[in-house]
Amino acid sequence: MQNLDVISVNLWQILISLGNLCILFFIMKRFLYKPVRNILAKRQSELEEHYTAAEKAEADAFADRAVWEEKLAGADAEADAIIKKASDNASFRGEQIVANAKEQAESILRVAKTEAELERKKAVEGIKREIVEVSGALTEKMLEREIKTEDHRALIDSFIEDIGDGND
């Protein structure tokens, strides 16, 4: 029978072991399971907060990106407008400069033509004067040879009288 004692089932010992197991289970549940569960729940909420914050930051970044792209497009359009305006102003200013230069050139040409015409007239008058003087001197030389001094004096006197009569 001794063999049976080792194999025998002691009901009280099983009940005490089950009671110990239940007490140990309740103690573990009370002091370990709930705090661990609270820590896990806290970590889960922190993770969700981080994910929510990351999603919000990503949405803000996309919104900011859209705003900046819009501003960049506006800045590009404004830069194009400024460049076009500057180009138009430069073209207009260039046309004004060319027009002023043409006007000044025409003015200079007119002045030069007028001066050239005056110089030509002066030269023509000078030449005429020289021709008159030369022809007068030639005539005088020719008249001296052909006309005697008495005839010459008579001619001069009559010329002076004619001039005197014309002035009166």
Side-chain angles (χ1 to χ4, degrees), residues 8-72:
S8 75
V9 177
N10 189 351
L11 188 63
W12 284 107
Q13 200 172 16
I14 292 176
L15 286 176
I16 290 175
S17 291
L18 277 176
N20 282 339
L21 184 64
C22 287
I23 291 172
L24 186 61
F25 176 75
F26 287 120
I27 290 174
M28 300 248 317
K29 184 178 179 187
R30 169 102 176 159
F31 294 110
L32 292 178
Y33 183 72
K34 283 185 181 180
V36 168
R37 193 161 200 194
N38 288 339
I39 289 172
L40 288 176
K42 186 177 176 184
R43 283 187 179 176
Q44 183 67 30
S45 67
E46 287 176 0
L47 283 174
E48 288 176 2
E49 286 177 14
H50 286 297
Y51 281 128
T52 305
E55 288 173 357
K56 184 178 183 241
E58 184 180 19
D60 289 344
F62 281 123
D64 288 345
R65 180 180 179 195
V67 167
W68 281 109
E69 285 177 353
E70 185 178 316
K71 285 183 180 180
L72 183 62

Side-chain angles (χ1 to χ4, degrees), residues 5 8 10 25 30 32 54-55 62 66 79 93 118 133-134 139 149 151 156 162-163:
D5 279 337
S8 75
N10 189 351
F25 176 75
R30 169 102 176 159
L32 292 178
E55 288 173 357
F62 281 123
R93 185 68 180 137
L118 287 174
E133 288 175 4
V134 168
T139 307
T149 44
D151 294 334
I156 291 175
D162 286 340
I163 290 175

Side-chain angles (χ1 to χ4, degrees), residues 89-159:
N89 286 343
S91 295
F92 179 71
R93 185 68 180 137
E95 289 172 4
Q96 281 183 334
I97 290 171
V98 168
N100 287 343
K102 283 182 181 179
E103 190 176 303
Q104 287 177 352
E106 288 174 0
S107 174
I108 290 171
L109 281 175
R110 274 182 273 151
V111 168
K113 284 181 182 179
T114 305
E115 288 178 0
E117 185 65 29
L118 287 174
E119 290 295 322
R120 188 184 68 78
K121 286 181 181 178
K122 284 181 184 178
V124 167
E125 288 177 14
I127 291 172
K128 283 181 183 178
R129 205 173 311 127
E130 284 183 30
I131 290 173
V132 168
E133 288 175 4
V134 168
S135 64
L138 277 174
T139 307
E140 187 177 313
K141 293 282 183 180
M142 288 174 64
L143 286 176
E144 279 181 5
R145 289 183 186 165
E146 294 178 10
I147 300 177
K148 297 179 186 168
T149 44
E150 296 164 1
D151 294 334
H152 187 234
R153 283 184 192 244
L155 265 171
I156 291 175
D157 289 338
S158 70
F159 180 72

